[in-house]
Each structure stands twice: as C-alpha cells, then as structure tokens.
Amino acid sequence: MSIIQHINKVFNHRVRLGIMSALMVNESVDFNSLKNLLDITDGNLASHIKALEKVAYILIQKQFIGKKTNTKYSVTKLGKIAFKKHINALEKLISQQK
Amino acid sequence: MQFKVLLIMTKKDYLQDISEIKNIMNRSTRFLSLSGLTGILAGVYALIGAFFAQQILKEYVNTNNRSVYNSEMGFALDFIMMELIGIALIVALLSVITAYILTKRKAKKEGVSIWTTTTKRLLFHFFIPLATGGIFSLIILNQGFYGFVAPATLIFYGLAIVNASNFTFSSVKYLGIAEIILGLIALNYIGYGLYFWAIGFGVFHIFYGTIMYFREKPTI
C-alpha cells in the first residue's frame, strides 16, 4: 500500500498532469501555448494552474511585451520532485498489476 | 469481483495517463508537422537542378577544350559559377517554399499552430550550422576552392539536421549523419562534387522523405 501514498492527489486530473508534463521538458511555457497544447478553455486552464501554484509546484512569471502581458509558467524544484514521484508510483502500479 | 474490475480500470487509466504524459512532452518540445512529401519534392528539385548544372558544365567543357590557362576562359568560368550558384539558390528557395506550404497544410490538418516556441527552437538550431556553412562556402568559392564547395555544403547541411533533430522527429538525425558521411567521402573525390550533391540533396531526400511519408506518424 505504500505505493498508493505516492500517488499524488494534486495530479489526479488530466489537465494538471498535462501542464506538469509540458513544464517538465521546457524551461517555461506561456499561457496560450499551454492552452493550444492541452486544447482546453481559458477558464479551465487558469483554475488548474491556480491549483498547481497553490501547492508551489509551478512558478508564474508575468512579463510585458509591449503593452501586452505575457505570462509564463515554469516548474519549481518541489514540483519536479513531486511529479517524478508520481510517475514512478504510476509505473510501479502498472507493473504490479500485470 | 468488484475490486478486480476496479483494479483493471485504474490500470487502464494509469497507462492512459503515462501515454498522455509522453505525448504532451513530445508535442511541447518537438515540431512534428514536417511532412515526408517535403523531402521527396526537395529531392526532386535538387535532381532537376543537378541535371541543369551538368548540362551547363558539359557545354562549358565542349566549348573550351583548349588551354586551361586562358583569360577568356577565366571570365567564362566566373559566369558559369554564377549560373551554378543561381541554380543552387533556386533549388533552395523552391524547397523552402514547399516546406512552408506543406508544413502549414499539415499543421492545419492536425489543428496545431505553426509559429510556436518549438518551431523557433527548431529553426534556430537548424540555421546556425547552415548559415555558417553558407558563409563558409561563399568564402572558399571566393578563394577559388570550387571543388570544396559540394563537400562543405553536404557536411554543414548534415550538421544542421543533426542539430535540429532534437526538436523534431528524431529519426531525421540519420539523414543528417548520412549527409555528413557523404560530404566526407566527397572530400576525397574533388571534381565530382555535382554527383555527390545530387546523391546528398536529391537521392537522400527522396529516400528519407518516402520513408517518412509512408509512416506519417514516425517513431519519436
């Protein structure tokens, strides 16, 4: 049952998993790129970003490009560790159930 | 019984999660809207270009089978060089236009945008070795080392592809490595540059493009 402990409840949603996946392999990703990548609405994405930010898994950086704001997201050290643990747990669960 | 069903269901979910994660990681870092058809057409342009280049060279040899050191001939050589460079530029331009049109079409079909961070990254890593090679070739042309141009362009083009392969289908790196090896071989056969050029930019492109075309979702 110890593996179950590592299944992170924060990641218990496909969108959050998607956001984390994109941020893990990129230095930073902006809002629109994430939206296109995951093919979801603004509101949906924003709420999941908020959830991930709340637990300090991702970092939000606001920038101005001309007059437009450009918001970029990147993964924190804590987020990286949590995500890796989660993936490991998933893989273990899958291999155990074979 | 119920417990077992639950287990199977979650297993399927987890597998789906993992594959989704891999998919997003790939899509967010790699530019995957390249079409195999681009390679095939670029190869065809190169072969047509090589054919015209050969005709020009043949004509030149036929009309100038006198002394090698002839001032008039030097002038003619310059003119021929310009013609050959012109052909190369037309081939390159046509290939770029084709790549743009076909990529845009494929991206539209897949519902992804074409101008993304991934595209910029791909182009940046592709063009640094390529531009270096272009400038390098112009300099050695200017110095009169005509025979080294074909090997140099092949080698630098190969390096550019290998460098860019981290940001698109990774199998493209084999094309890059093949171009580099061909360029190194061509260095040993100065004077036959056009044939190596036709193989590298023509045959190799058609070959790789065909492979890509027939498995539109190549392994990553």
Side-chain angles (χ1 to χ4, degrees):
Chain A
M1 275 295 117
S2 66
I3 299 168
I4 298 287
Q5 285 173 2
H6 291 296
I7 292 289
N8 197 327
K9 277 214 176 114
V10 179
F11 298 136
N12 221 338
H13 196 288
R14 202 140 282 169
V15 173
R16 291 181 202 167
L17 219 50
I19 296 169
M20 289 301 287
S21 308
L23 296 185
M24 284 296 281
V25 288
N26 286 286
E27 215 176 310
S28 64
V29 182
D30 60 53
F31 191 88
N32 282 332
S33 301
L34 274 178
K35 205 179 89 176
N36 286 333
L37 196 67
L38 302 170
D39 199 20
I40 50 174
T41 61
D42 280 23
N44 197 352
L45 179 58
S47 76
H48 287 297
I49 282 174
K50 212 172 264 173
L52 286 172
E53 194 207 1
K54 212 169 146 191
V55 289
Y57 285 176
I58 64 172
L59 208 71
I60 301 180
Q61 301 151 268
K62 279 197 176 152
Q63 268 182 337
F64 278 93
I65 297 179
K67 276 182 184 172
K68 269 192 195 162
T69 49
N70 177 285
T71 316
K72 281 181 167 180
Y73 306 93
S74 56
V75 67
T76 61
K77 223 177 198 172
L78 186 70
K80 245 178 208 171
I81 295 167
F83 188 75
K84 274 181 189 157
K85 262 190 192 163
H86 182 73
I87 299 290
N88 282 337
L90 282 187
E91 278 172 347
K92 264 187 197 148
L93 270 178
I94 290 165
S95 66
Q96 246 183 22
Q97 284 169 20
K98 260 178 195 165
Chain B
M1 177 62 190
Q2 254 183 344
F3 182 65
K4 207 175 176 187
V5 170
L6 196 76
L7 261 183
I8 291 165
M9 268 188 66
T10 50
K11 185 197 165 188
K12 207 181 151 202
D13 280 353
Y14 292 148
L15 274 173
Q16 222 165 31
D17 277 359
I18 295 272
S19 78
E20 179 82 6
I21 287 166
K22 280 185 187 159
N23 179 297
I24 286 172
M25 283 182 168
N26 272 324
R27 273 195 298 139
S28 69
T29 49
R30 292 170 189 274
F31 182 74
L32 303 177
S33 297
L34 282 172
S35 153
L37 202 55
T38 306
I40 298 173
L41 287 175
V44 171
Y45 301 152
L47 285 183
I48 294 170
F51 174 76
F52 279 116
Q54 203 205 16
Q55 295 303 310
I56 290 170
L57 285 174
K58 229 193 232 166
E59 206 176 308
Y60 169 70
V61 173
N62 285 342
T63 50
N64 290 287
N65 48 8
R66 286 168 289 163
S67 156
V68 179
Y69 296 99
N70 182 320
S71 62
E72 262 177 56
M73 211 180 131
F75 186 73
L77 193 68
D78 275 353
F79 183 68
I80 275 174
M81 242 25 237
M82 295 298 277
E83 278 188 318
L84 294 182
I85 293 172
I87 290 176
L89 286 180
I90 290 169
V91 167
L93 194 70
L94 275 177
S95 301
V96 169
I97 292 170
T98 306
Y100 177 73
I101 293 171
L102 290 181
T103 302
K104 210 172 170 188
R105 208 179 64 172
K106 195 176 171 191
K108 209 173 174 187
K109 220 193 287 175
E110 289 171 349
V112 295
S113 52
I114 184 170
W115 194 241
T116 60
T117 330
T118 350
T119 324
K120 286 176 214 165
R121 235 177 331 204
L122 170 71
L123 291 178
F124 179 78
H125 286 89
F126 182 63
F127 274 110
I128 293 235
L130 198 71
T132 311
I135 295 165
F136 182 91
S137 302
L138 285 178
I139 292 170
I140 59 172
L141 257 183
N142 200 32
Q143 304 273 347
F145 299 111
Y146 304 115
F148 289 94
V149 171
T153 46
L154 285 169
I155 291 169
F156 279 104
Y157 180 61
L159 289 172
I161 293 177
V162 173
N163 208 36
S165 67
N166 282 325
F167 307 99
T168 180
F169 301 109
S170 66
S171 65
V172 81
K173 67 171 168 280
Y174 300 114
L175 174 66
I177 292 168
E179 302 280 8
I180 294 170
I181 294 171
L182 187 73
L184 291 174
I185 295 172
L187 261 184
N188 298 293
Y189 299 95
I190 298 298
Y192 296 92
L194 192 58
Y195 299 104
F196 285 100
W197 228 76
I199 295 170
F201 288 97
V203 179
F204 282 9
H205 274 152
I206 294 173
F207 184 69
Y208 180 75
T210 311
I211 293 175
M212 244 178 97
Y213 185 74
F214 281 111
R215 37 170 220 191
E216 269 301 79
K217 282 215 159 152
T219 49
I220 292 150

